[in-house]
Amino acid sequence: MDKRPIGVFDSGLGGLTAVRELRRILPGEDIVYFGDTGRVPYGTRGRDTILQYARQDVRFLLTQDVKFIMAACGTVSSVYPTEEAAKLPVPYTGVVGATARAAAAATRSGRIGVIGTAATVRSGSFAAVLAQLDSRLEVRAKACPMFVPLVENGYVTPGDPVALAIAHQYLDELRDAGVDTLILGCTHYPLLTGTIRMVMGPDVALIDPGRETADAVKDALEQLELLNGTGGTARYFVSDAVEQFRQVADLFLGEYAGGPVEQIPIETY
Ligand code: DGL
């Protein structure tokens, strides 16, 4: 039993889709969330910048006495080196491993699509894990840079005409290639599930990184005997104005009830 909070971070608000899942399956845990809303997006930036930002995010969470860190960001998860994560004073997970394992388990045809930010797709992170799991898997990856601004601006109603046109632009080729499983390799994308499903059709399995990784965090906490059954609070930190967070947080969380939100100067960490 360990009463310290779980630390979760993302480049912005997409990681709240992972918080939603954590709160659903681990209601007794306290959560500290950091969203780098002042510097989002990360996915269009170069590796060194993403790494520098990720290190600051991790350092901030460590000041909050967290017992576990989850990078709820496909982009950070794709570039943060495993060796560096292993040296942190608390256990760490990104979203790539658990999400790739779920996709490998879900596919029947062996054809898996991966969508993510430009940096995520450039890194080849999901394809590398999938190849380790089963070298016969065929993986097609596609960067979808317009999806994050669509979500952050609220174009999330299933079939929204703007979102649907862009989704066709990105996803038609994956559908036509016959993928039967699609990794939503960015934690913003589950908000576009309705629209993505309209393009991919009802039979393609959509793999949500927040959901899969929340399950993996639960397993890890159990194994490490770090679970807490008596908490349940959430505190939120952002690097830009808190009003913007308040306006859209419930969209991501589904249940945001006005927990404390604070702005911090992340560049000083
Ligand atoms: N939520 C981030 C991810 O999972 C994407 C947003 C960004 O580009 O910063 O990759």
Side-chain angles (χ1 to χ4, degrees):
M1 171 102 146
D2 188 323
K3 287 179 181 292
R4 291 176 297 166
I6 301 171
V8 182
F9 75 98
D10 179 38
S11 56
L13 302 179
L16 293 174
T17 58
V19 172
R20 182 179 63 194
E21 297 301 323
L22 281 174
R23 290 177 67 70
R24 188 173 60 78
I25 64 168
L26 289 170
E29 294 294 328
D30 294 323
I31 293 175
V32 173
Y33 180 84
F34 172 65
D36 199 356
T37 51
R39 303 192 296 197
V40 67
Y42 287 8
T44 52
R45 298 175 197 273
R47 188 174 176 281
D48 289 348
T49 305
I50 297 167
L51 257 181
Q52 181 204 331
Y53 290 175
R55 287 178 180 136
Q56 289 174 322
D57 302 344
V58 166
R59 280 199 287 270
F60 167 69
L61 285 178
L62 289 172
T63 68
Q64 299 301 302
D65 193 27
V66 296
K67 63 182 171 189
F68 194 101
I69 292 178
M70 173 185 187
C73 175
T75 308
V76 169
S77 307
S78 295
V79 302
Y80 196 70
T82 318
E83 317 78 62
E84 191 168 328
K87 288 190 197 132
L88 292 173
V90 297
Y92 162 98
T93 187
V95 294
V96 174
T99 310
R101 283 192 292 279
T107 186
R108 295 288 161 258
S109 68
R111 281 195 285 276
I112 297 177
V114 178
I115 55 174
T117 65
T120 295
V121 169
R122 199 170 55 232
S123 77
S125 57
F126 285 98
V129 177
L130 289 166
Q132 271 169 17
L133 291 170
D134 184 345
S135 59
R136 293 164 307 175
L137 293 172
E138 281 175 49
V139 181
R140 288 181 76 116
K142 178 81 183 170
C144 302
M146 298 277 283
F147 277 179
V148 168
L150 279 176
V151 170
E152 298 248 336
N153 288 285
Y155 290 77
V156 294
T157 309
D160 173 276
V162 176
L164 190 60
I166 293 171
H168 273 295
Q169 184 79 27
Y170 291 142
L171 303 178
D172 281 356
E173 63 182 81
L174 295 178
R175 185 200 54 215
D176 295 346
V179 306
D180 73 348
T181 302
L182 181 65
I183 290 179
L184 309 181
C186 166
T187 47
H188 279 71
Y189 297 176
L191 270 301
L192 292 172
T193 294
T195 298
I196 291 172
R197 167 124 354 264
M198 287 169 87
V199 178
M200 296 306 291
D203 299 327
V204 171
L206 304 179
I207 310 294
D208 175 337
R211 174 163 304 166
E212 303 306 334
T213 309
D215 284 340
V217 169
K218 183 177 183 214
D219 291 346
L221 291 177
E222 260 163 18
Q223 262 178 27
L224 297 165
E225 300 186 359
L226 291 176
L227 281 172
N228 174 17
T230 61
T233 67
R235 282 185 301 141
Y236 303 96
F237 295 87
V238 288
S239 52
D240 200 2
V242 298
E243 287 71 32
Q244 181 231 4
F245 176 92
R246 290 211 173 91
Q247 275 160 20
V248 291
D250 53 357
L251 184 69
F252 288 87
L253 280 169
E255 46 106 27
Y256 172 61
V261 193
E262 204 178 303
Q263 185 174 353
I264 56 149
I266 190 64
E267 60 290 338
T268 63
Y269 285 87

